[in-house]
Amino acid sequence: MPATHIRRWKTLALTTSAVLVGLTMPAVTATPASATTTAYDSTYYKNAVGKTGTSLKSSLHTIISSQTKISYSAVWNALKVTDQDPNNSSNVILLYSGVSRAKTLNGGDVGDWNREHVWAKSHGDFGEVTGPGTDLHHLRPADVTVNSIRGNKDFDEGGSTVSGGGGSLTDSDSFEPRDADKGDVARMILYMAVRYEGDDGFADLEPNELVNNGSNPYIGKLSVLKQWNDEDPPSAFEEKRNQVIYDTYQHNRNPFIDHPEWVEAIW
């Protein structure tokens, strides 16, 4: 069963601040890692709780690097479980579009869904190799056409409407997911940046403030991803997905789903 989360989020009293225009407000600081608690804090995360910055990132890297790896072909069936439509067990929910589509329609034709690498596999040139290329924490089912439009673009805001993209936008060098997926995307990207630090034969993946990163092992924009993490907190679907990956497949977790405030604590 998914862990019960007790979340104490920082909130901004927008209506109050509107009345208090002209008054100097105190600077917002990073929420300490202890601000959110989960059932895993005394076990899985015990060496990370209470830390910030590079120390927190290093501890999380060590924790989540202990994982069972699966093949790229095995990803097909795994996604049928991790992304199952909670209202229709014959379907999966597609990233970006939010469409519920039959599990049997996995493939490469128009109208099918395929395996989207949220951290584009060309950013670090890891392809489909077992490891970053097959890590379920950033692989999601997506409509073939929408996936092709996203391509290997970095993430940023703005652009024109993506046909069939559920409200997603794109321009020549970036992609903006629909609002309901923005936090998911941010937490998947930042998971990859912590999991793959260049010490296991793969590139050191890092977020930056650029677009057009090409084959460099970077994806932007970090400031936008941080904003999306705040604006779109983890959903029940995202939390269940994290649990299924932990229990059934990789036996590691995305710490930013369990502790979204750790994004600010690190970056």
Side-chain angles (χ1 to χ4, degrees):
M1 293 294 293
T4 298
H5 293 210
I6 303 169
R7 303 194 183 283
R8 282 173 278 168
W9 283 89
K10 294 182 300 180
T11 58
L12 297 178
L14 297 179
T15 56
T16 300
S17 63
V19 173
L20 299 178
V21 171
L23 294 181
T24 301
M25 300 298 290
V28 176
T29 57
T31 304
S34 60
T36 297
T37 60
T38 79
Y40 293 97
D41 288 358
S42 62
T43 54
Y44 189 74
Y45 292 123
K46 65 181 180 180
N47 292 327
V49 170
K51 296 180 179 178
T52 60
T54 56
S55 178
L56 175 58
K57 187 182 182 191
S58 177
S59 292
L60 291 177
H61 170 68
T62 300
I63 292 167
I64 67 178
S65 292
S66 177
Q67 72 181 99
T68 299
K69 298 174 183 177
I70 68 174
S71 69
Y72 196 52
S73 60
V75 168
W76 284 121
N77 285 332
L79 293 180
K80 294 176 183 179
V81 178
T82 60
D83 291 76
Q84 179 175 292
D85 183 345
N87 298 314
N88 185 344
S89 62
S90 297
N91 288 11
V92 291
I93 299 294
L94 306 187
L95 187 69
Y96 305 140
S97 64
V99 169
S100 178
R101 186 164 296 170
K103 293 178 178 179
T104 55
L105 290 175
N106 62 297
D109 297 328
V110 173
D112 288 344
W113 61 268
N114 59 4
R115 298 161 290 185
E116 156 71 332
H117 292 79
V118 177
W119 184 292
K121 58 190 177 182
S122 62
H123 290 235
D125 196 28
F126 53 74
E128 298 164 0
V129 66
T130 300
T134 65
D135 197 315
L136 290 171
H137 282 298
H138 86 116
L139 285 163
R140 298 286 290 268
D143 176 80
V144 166
T145 302
V146 175
N147 192 355
S148 177
I149 292 171
R150 188 267 157 140
N152 68 346
K153 293 175 181 176
D154 295 83
F155 294 103
D156 197 3
E157 296 188 335
S160 56
T161 300
V162 174
S163 178
S168 300
L169 305 174
T170 193
D171 56 24
S172 63
D173 56 18
S174 70
F175 190 90
E176 178 182 348
R178 68 188 185 117
D179 288 347
D181 287 334
K182 285 179 176 176
D184 303 52
V185 165
R187 288 180 283 273
M188 286 187 279
I189 291 294
L190 298 176
Y191 161 87
M192 293 292 283
V194 171
R195 170 60 186 86
Y196 299 98
E197 292 278 48
D199 56 358
D200 53 3
F202 302 112
D204 180 2
L205 307 182
E206 294 294 339
N208 65 8
E209 282 300 317
L210 302 176
V211 292
N212 276 328
N213 276 298
S215 62
N216 293 314
Y218 312 122
I219 280 186
K221 292 181 175 180
L222 174 58
S223 59
V224 173
L225 295 172
K226 288 174 63 178
Q227 177 184 328
W228 291 352
N229 175 62
D230 289 338
E231 292 175 346
D232 176 32
S235 64
F237 182 88
E238 193 180 356
E239 290 175 343
K240 182 178 180 181
R241 187 177 196 278
N242 195 29
Q243 194 68 35
V244 171
I245 293 172
Y246 177 72
D247 288 337
T248 307
Y249 296 101
Q250 296 183 181
H251 311 297
N252 72 339
R253 303 182 68 81
N254 181 334
F256 304 115
I257 295 174
D258 293 324
H259 282 279
E261 79 281 2
W262 279 353
V263 171
E264 185 66 34
I266 294 174
W267 287 282

